[in-house]
Amino acid sequence: MFKEQLGYIGNIWVRQNYLEKAGDKVGGHIHYFDHVSLLAKGSISVQIDDLEPRTFSAPTFIIIRKEHIHQITALEDDTSWYCVFAVRDIDGQTTDIVDPENDPWFAAAASSNFWENKDLLTQMTKELFDMDEKRPGNIL
C-alpha cells in the first residue's frame, strides 16, 4: 500500500512517501524538473527508464533526473522517503508559498473561514494529483 502526505513552505515542496510492504511500488512517471528523494527508512529499488534498477538503503538521498521515467519498489516493509522539489509557477520559475496547516503562527492569525477553504483546495489538489498518478507515462 502506498501512502503520501504533501507539505510546503517558501519555495520548497516535500512529498512524504510510504510503502507498507516489501514489493509495493510507486512510479512509472516523469517530472519536468530534477529533484532529490531522501530515503529515511528501509531500502528501495529505483528503476530509471529501461536501465538496470539500483538499490539504496536508508539513510541516503537519491537524485531523480527530469524527463526520465522512474519507478520505486520497496525492498523492506515500512519503507519511507521524502521527495523534495522547488515550488514553481506555470512558467517554471521558483515561487514561494506557505502551508498554514503546518505553521503555528498562521493558525492563530487565520480568518475564521480559512480552514474551510484550505480543506477544499487541498482536496482539489489531491484529486488532480491522483488523476495524474493513474495516467500511464504521466508527467508530474
Side-chain angles (χ1 to χ4, degrees), residues 30-137:
I30 64 176
H31 299 279
Y32 287 117
F33 301 97
D34 294 344
H35 77 278
V36 64
S37 290
L38 307 171
L39 182 58
K41 183 178 179 188
S43 60
I44 59 175
S45 171
V46 179
Q47 181 160 6
I48 306 293
D49 296 328
D50 293 327
L51 300 174
E52 191 70 26
R54 287 202 48 207
T55 299
F56 296 89
S57 296
T60 193
F61 68 92
I62 304 136
I63 297 169
I64 303 295
R65 299 290 180 182
K66 67 180 180 179
E67 300 174 355
H68 291 277
I69 296 172
H70 60 284
Q71 178 174 281
I72 297 173
T73 304
L75 300 177
E76 298 178 35
D77 292 351
D78 299 318
T79 295
S80 62
W81 73 98
Y82 300 82
C83 295
V84 181
F85 294 82
V87 175
R88 299 178 188 274
D89 65 18
I90 196 151
D91 297 319
Q93 301 300 311
T94 57
T95 187
D96 290 343
I97 57 175
V98 175
D99 183 353
E101 189 171 299
N102 297 95
D103 184 348
W105 179 86
F106 186 90
S111 64
S112 60
N113 69 344
F114 175 83
W115 296 107
E116 294 169 20
N117 296 335
K118 167 77 168 77
D119 291 343
L120 178 60
L121 179 59
T122 299
Q123 181 60 35
M124 289 171 37
T125 302
K126 175 107 176 79
E127 288 173 10
L128 288 172
F129 190 82
D130 287 345
M131 286 190 315
D132 279 344
E133 282 289 314
K134 292 175 184 170
R135 286 197 326 243

Side-chain angles (χ1 to χ4, degrees), residues 5-9 12-16 99 102:
Q5 182 175 351
L6 308 175
Y8 39 82
I9 184 169
I12 304 297
W13 180 73
V14 179
R15 177 179 173 194
Q16 179 184 17
D99 183 353
N102 297 95

